[in-house]
Amino acid sequence: MEKEPLVEHPADPPAPGPPRPRRRISKLLVGAGLAILVLLATVDSKLPFRPHLCRGRHGKDSPFGRFPRSGDPFHFIPCTDRTIPPALEDPNPLRSWARLFDPDPAHWNWGNASAADHEGGHGHLRSPFSGRGIYLCGYLDVPLDYTNKSDERIARLAVTKFQVSGLAPHRRHRRGRHGDDNKAGKKSERTLVIEPGGPGGSGTSMAWRASEGITKRLSDGQYDVLGWDPRGVNTSLPAISCFPFDADRDHWALRSGQYRETSPSPRAQLEFVDAMSDSVFNACYKQHGDIPRFMTTAIVARDLEEIRKALAEDELTGYLVSYGTGIGQTYANMFPNSVGRMILDGTEYVRDHRLVGGFGWTALDNGTNAWHDGFLGECVNAGPQHCALAKQLSSEPVTLKSLENRMHTLVSSLIERPLPGYTEFSGPSLITYSALVGALYGSMYNAESWPALAQMLFELEAGNTTMAAAMLERVAWGYDPTLPSPPNKRPSSEELGTLVICADSYDAKEPEGGMDWWENLWKNMTERSWIAGNSRFSNVFPCRHFTKYWPEPAEVYRGDLNHTLKHPVLLIAETYDPATPLRNGRRLLKEMGANARLIAHHGYGHSSRDKSNCTDSIAKRFILEGVVPDEQETACYANEKPYLYGVKKGDASATGRKTQSAMEIWDEHLAELALLSPALLPKRM
Ligand SMILES: *[C@@H]1O[C@H](CO)[C@@H](O)[C@H](O)[C@H]1NC(C)=O
Ligand SMILES: *[C@@H]1O[C@H](CO)[C@@H](O)[C@H](O)[C@H]1NC(C)=O
Ligand SMILES: *[C@@H]1O[C@H](CO)[C@@H](O)[C@H](O)[C@H]1NC(C)=O
Ligand SMILES: *[C@@H]1O[C@H](CO)[C@@H](O)[C@H](O)[C@H]1NC(C)=O
Ligand SMILES: *[C@@H]1O[C@H](CO)[C@@H](O)[C@H](O)[C@H]1NC(C)=O
Ligand SMILES: *[C@@H]1O[C@H](CO)[C@@H](O)[C@H](O)[C@H]1NC(C)=O
Ligand SMILES: *[C@@H]1O[C@H](CO)[C@@H](O)[C@H](O)[C@H]1NC(C)=O
Ligand SMILES: *[C@H]1O[C@H](CO)[C@@H](O)[C@H](O)[C@H]1NC(C)=O
């Protein structure tokens, strides 16, 4: 009975509304030319719009009482599709917020019933909501400028919490002892605070997408999970976009995103992009004034400390991913006495981001290894039944070497001339080198996407561009022409990521040579990594204009990373991570010394998504008991191989657990990528 979903699960498709066939993910993916590490995505599908909801029922009690509860610093109310924090200009935000409370629990977003609950209660009087976690939405106001008490402006941070114990029925509604226990409706002893990265990744989106999985994986479902949108991002306020509409950004992206290999004159291309970066920052300045001064990672770390205090927990428990590990390292060293059980997964070395272009060029180590050993090598190992590219085309068997040559020929042919394609929703289309290589790089983040990518490349090689066009168009645009326009929708907070990266390195002196130096860096980066170089370069190149508009951010962290912490942190770094190479995790470990332990996770993709029982058991023990391994570094291996996830050993006929189509796999991949790296996504063409 409890299994029957009475309400829409957040992972379910959107409720009735205008059909949005295609491009909803795109904006997230289309990078601001920044890039790095974020995670998941289409909140579209998580916060289904329900225009049919009755309004005006506020003030009523629900069977679970009234929300927000007095004294709750987050002002939590059960999430519906309307629970977006009130505007900064709102003179009475709390009243407006309380009006969003909908007393009908069938409209709330509940989690799945836990397995424990299925076994446990048989009470026939149980409510359909007992044993289910609940998604709570709230916000926290913090100072915009922590360094200036006389500046009264605030930032309003959106938070989404998955409370594992659900809600307790209000006294008046209780019927006997069935259906509630003494834990129901209470926060857990610790809360797993999560952050997907970016910069620019949305923690509330990650909470929607991943909370239930994260609490199971790291705490056997015992701890609540809380995600927040960092200042400037998504539903937090102020949100930073420097284009009035996504279409305006798209208008320039095609030209700005051209890769070096296809630029007839790399210098001319750079001059164009450089002028555009200046123009974008100028627009940011016109629209947001001094606000980009307050978007640094150090200030975000202060926000995180405010979140910890609002949770009323003595120490921070967290699962911070990708650029989120940069927030975590900064936080730990600014607030060493607040550090609890923090996992930093997909570890960068935040010190690198103080250098000119450091966010870009320190990330390049292993992207091409992932392509070579992983995408191609594991394809050959898995064989034609699991990887289309392993199909034998001639009398010669497919070897890694021959496959590598074929793919090199295919990809580089697009430098000379793109291939025409067609999709029903965009009409004419081109398979360009820049768009394809951008997609290949994104695919290295997530090996689940590889069978779909291999299928696409196989068909493309045979001259069929149908799937390539469909996949590349998925990330092409932020603008969605199927939505009414104007106002279409809120423009995405895409410029935020660049502003954070540039603010964090604002005092790094541009080397002698000016544009010549940058031109050389671009060459160097693309030669070191054909798969990641262009994307990473575009994240940092705009920074040369930052201080023209914002000479001095309000605060950056420039201290060491070896402070003595209240509790050691657990670092996880991956051997084939295309964004945060293991080398950087080890450099961080060296500086942190006894204050950290590292899991060297042998697997594919960005962060430890390539499941390993070894990694998971260390991580869970750390979160639940605070125990760290004795050794500084522990090696863990992924359970399975790409292309063979879910395929049982020795069962040659099994096709694996994936029954999804290539496009379904691809869409799921893009949703994941949008979280990890909204800015990573290729600007296409
Ligand atoms: C502090 O804030 C006040 C009020 O906004 C402003 O006038 C002043 O210039 C600020 N000081 C600094 C150092 O930013
Ligand atoms: C919740 O249940 C739905 C439908 O049964 C399932 O698809 C989904 O994977 C479950 N989510 C989690 C986190 O277990
Ligand atoms: C990752 O890159 C480093 C530096 O180039 C290299 O030493 C290491 O072998 C690479 N890792 C893998 C798994 O190829
Ligand atoms: C091209 O590929 C698409 C799907 O990827 C397929 O539906 C179509 O039949 C193929 N066209 C030809 C001519 O093989
Ligand atoms: C790029 O620069 C790095 C650091 O200066 C250097 O080690 C490397 O050899 C250069 N690579 C290329 C391809 O020029
Ligand atoms: C941290 O490292 C610096 C050198 O980089 C050293 O001077 C300092 O003593 C170290 N601090 C601690 C607490 O170990
Ligand atoms: C990982 O753990 C699961 C669940 O305990 C088990 O079924 C599986 O065999 C383990 N896999 C490996 C590679 O140890
Ligand atoms: C930001 O929040 C909105 C809800 O207003 C959601 O639809 C959108 O997908 C979110 N963006 C990201 C990047 O998650």
Side-chain angles (χ1 to χ4, degrees):
M1 258 265 203
E2 299 93 333
K3 277 188 186 154
E4 196 92 79
L6 290 159
V7 289
E8 216 155 345
H9 187 268
D12 286 344
R20 299 182 189 173
R22 49 257 197 21
R23 288 169 173 156
R24 63 194 147 93
I25 301 174
S26 50
K27 152 59 45 26
L28 309 179
L29 303 187
V30 174
L34 315 184
I36 265 216
L37 343 155
V38 186
L39 282 168
L40 338 155
T42 47
V43 171
D44 270 6
S45 63
K46 319 285 171 178
L47 297 176
F49 258 79
R50 294 197 189 85
H52 58 279
L53 275 195
C54 306
R55 291 171 169 257
R57 280 185 289 174
H58 50 273
K60 281 205 192 145
D61 246 1
S62 81
F64 299 89
R66 190 180 295 194
F67 294 85
R69 314 272 201 218
S70 68
D72 172 3
F74 293 111
H75 319 296
F76 280 126
I77 60 184
C79 298
T80 68
D81 55 306
R82 296 188 300 141
T83 38
I84 306 280
L88 290 175
E89 303 75 43
D90 191 328
N92 199 337
L94 203 46
R95 192 179 56 196
S96 309
W97 179 248
R99 282 193 185 131
L100 297 180
F101 173 56
D102 177 334
D104 183 350
H107 293 162
W108 304 348
N109 286 287
W110 296 86
N112 288 347
S114 71
D117 192 69
H118 284 182
E119 289 151 21
H122 301 279
H124 31 279
L125 296 173
R126 304 162 53 80
S127 95
F129 307 113
S130 57
R132 301 174 76 161
I134 181 83
Y135 287 87
L136 299 171
C137 285
Y139 65 89
L140 184 67
D141 288 347
V142 295
L144 180 70
D145 185 357
Y146 288 96
T147 68
N148 183 357
K149 292 263 181 307
S150 52
D151 189 338
E152 289 175 353
R153 292 175 296 173
I154 58 163
R156 180 160 288 156
L157 306 176
V159 301
T160 296
K161 177 168 104 153
F162 180 66
Q163 181 160 285
V164 294
S165 69
L167 293 172
H170 201 246
R171 221 169 254 166
R172 180 144 56 71
H173 295 267
R174 283 185 200 171
R175 306 179 200 128
R177 58 192 184 83
H178 294 293
D180 53 306
D181 57 63
N182 50 18
K183 265 198 200 154
K186 297 220 175 79
K187 81 182 276 298
S188 56
E189 176 193 336
R190 290 173 181 268
T191 304
L192 279 158
V193 178
I194 58 172
E195 216 288 329
S202 162
T204 61
S205 305
M206 185 185 185
W208 283 112
R209 188 173 163 85
S211 290
E212 292 179 64
I214 289 173
T215 183
K216 258 184 224 155
R217 176 187 174 201
L218 298 178
S219 78
D220 283 334
Q222 292 185 45
Y223 293 157
D224 300 342
V225 176
L226 179 143
W228 91 102
D229 287 343
R231 48 177 59 209
V233 175
N234 201 7
T235 54
S236 282
L237 299 169
I240 302 290
S241 173
C242 306
F243 290 88
F245 296 100
D246 287 331
D248 300 311
R249 188 184 295 107
D250 293 340
H251 175 61
W252 297 101
L254 208 137
R255 171 80 199 268
S256 303
Q258 189 171 12
Y259 279 11
R260 187 171 186 281
E261 293 83 343
T262 59
S263 305
S265 159
R267 179 57 171 250
Q269 174 66 13
L270 270 199
E271 297 288 353
F272 178 91
V273 175
D274 193 53
M276 190 64 204
S277 304
D278 194 1
S279 179
V280 169
F281 281 169
N282 179 55
C284 295
Y285 185 74
K286 290 250 158 62
Q287 297 192 16
H288 300 288
D290 67 342
I291 285 177
R293 291 186 62 229
F294 310 109
M295 298 289 149
T296 62
T297 301
I299 297 171
V300 173
R302 289 197 185 278
D303 292 341
L304 180 52
E305 178 66 351
E306 294 307 305
I307 288 170
R308 179 194 65 79
K309 290 187 215 158
L311 282 166
E313 295 181 20
D314 291 340
E315 32 180 73
L316 182 77
T317 305
Y319 179 66
L320 310 170
V321 179
S322 192
Y323 160 75
T325 72
I327 300 172
Q329 294 159 46
T330 306
Y331 175 88
N333 286 281
M334 287 173 70
F335 305 102
N337 297 323
S338 300
V339 174
R341 302 169 189 172
M342 293 171 61
I343 297 180
L344 310 185
D345 188 1
T347 309
E348 60 182 28
Y349 188 27
V350 78
R351 201 182 260 285
D352 291 339
H353 300 176
R354 301 173 189 178
L355 309 172
V356 180
F359 187 90
W361 57 259
T362 61
L364 300 177
D365 296 45
N366 297 120
T368 52
N369 302 131
W371 166 261
H372 181 270
D373 300 0
F375 178 73
L376 301 177
E378 300 295 352
C379 171
V380 173
N381 292 344
Q385 200 182 348
H386 304 288
C387 177
L389 285 171
K391 279 181 202 148
Q392 197 166 333
L393 299 173
S394 65
S395 54
E396 299 295 311
V398 178
T399 63
L400 175 52
K401 190 75 213 149
S402 70
L403 182 57
E404 190 184 15
N405 288 338
R406 275 166 54 197
M407 289 301 106
H408 177 76
T409 303
L410 172 64
V411 174
S412 42
S413 73
L414 298 173
I415 297 174
E416 292 296 313
R417 185 182 165 88
L419 288 170
Y422 170 80
T423 67
E424 202 179 320
F425 49 81
S426 315
S429 182
L430 287 180
I431 316 305
T432 67
Y433 177 84
S434 306
L436 182 68
V437 173
L440 300 183
Y441 181 45
S443 191
M444 295 307 107
Y445 277 55
N446 176 15
E448 296 269 1
S449 69
W450 292 357
L453 181 67
Q455 179 71 32
M456 180 265 260
L457 291 171
F458 181 77
E459 292 178 8
L460 188 62
E461 189 185 30
N464 183 341
T465 59
T466 302
M467 191 182 292
M471 285 184 177
L472 299 182
E473 284 290 344
R474 284 288 207 278
V475 297
W477 308 109
Y479 172 64
D480 184 344
T482 65
L483 295 178
S485 177
N488 203 270
K489 59 182 177 188
R490 263 179 339 118
S492 78
S493 47
E494 207 154 293
E495 286 67 41
L496 184 273
T498 319
L499 291 167
V500 172
I501 291 167
C502 299
D504 281 355
S505 61
Y506 84 100
D507 52 353
K509 275 237 164 25
E510 180 173 302
E512 301 274 307
M515 283 292 275
D516 288 344
W517 185 85
W518 286 99
E519 194 182 339
N520 195 50
L521 180 67
W522 195 18
K523 181 166 185 289
N524 180 302
M525 288 176 67
T526 49
E527 282 173 359
R528 273 170 64 198
S529 179
W530 63 271
I531 203 165
N534 281 287
S535 169
R536 290 289 155 163
F537 178 78
S538 70
N539 297 160
V540 296
F541 182 48
C543 291
R544 60 196 308 263
H545 295 288
F546 183 82
T547 51
K548 186 153 121 196
Y549 300 97
W550 306 281
E552 205 172 2
E555 182 182 18
V556 291
Y557 180 70
R558 289 290 178 259
D560 290 326
L561 302 176
N562 61 357
H563 286 81
T564 302
L565 310 180
K566 184 177 179 199
H567 196 279
V569 303
L570 181 63
L571 312 176
I572 309 177
E574 294 74 22
T575 49
Y576 282 102
D577 197 307
T580 53
L582 174 57
R583 192 170 72 88
N584 293 346
R586 286 186 170 143
R587 289 160 65 225
L588 174 66
L589 178 71
K590 185 155 183 250
E591 177 164 2
M592 293 188 78
N595 294 294
R597 299 293 186 280
L598 172 70
I599 297 176
H601 181 98
H602 292 249
Y604 293 106
H606 181 38
S607 78
S608 61
R609 66 192 54 247
D610 200 353
K611 190 174 170 56
S612 158
N613 285 6
C614 163
T615 297
D616 286 358
S617 69
I618 294 172
K620 192 190 286 184
R621 188 137 186 255
F622 176 72
I623 291 294
L624 284 177
E625 300 165 41
V627 175
V628 293
D630 294 336
E631 305 75 29
Q632 274 282 90
E633 178 174 325
T634 307
C636 280
Y637 291 82
N639 293 351
E640 296 177 294
K641 292 293 189 190
Y643 303 102
L644 299 172
Y645 296 131
V647 177
K648 284 198 210 84
K649 274 216 183 72
D651 181 0
S653 66
T655 51
R657 63 171 180 251
K658 284 274 178 272
T659 49
Q660 295 163 291
S661 72
M663 284 313 293
E664 285 167 343
I665 295 173
W666 194 249
D667 282 347
E668 176 64 18
H669 161 62
L670 294 180
E672 192 67 14
L673 202 51
L675 270 201
L676 288 177
S677 192
L680 168 161
L681 292 184
K683 276 214 235 174
R684 97 205 68 107
M685 309 282 180

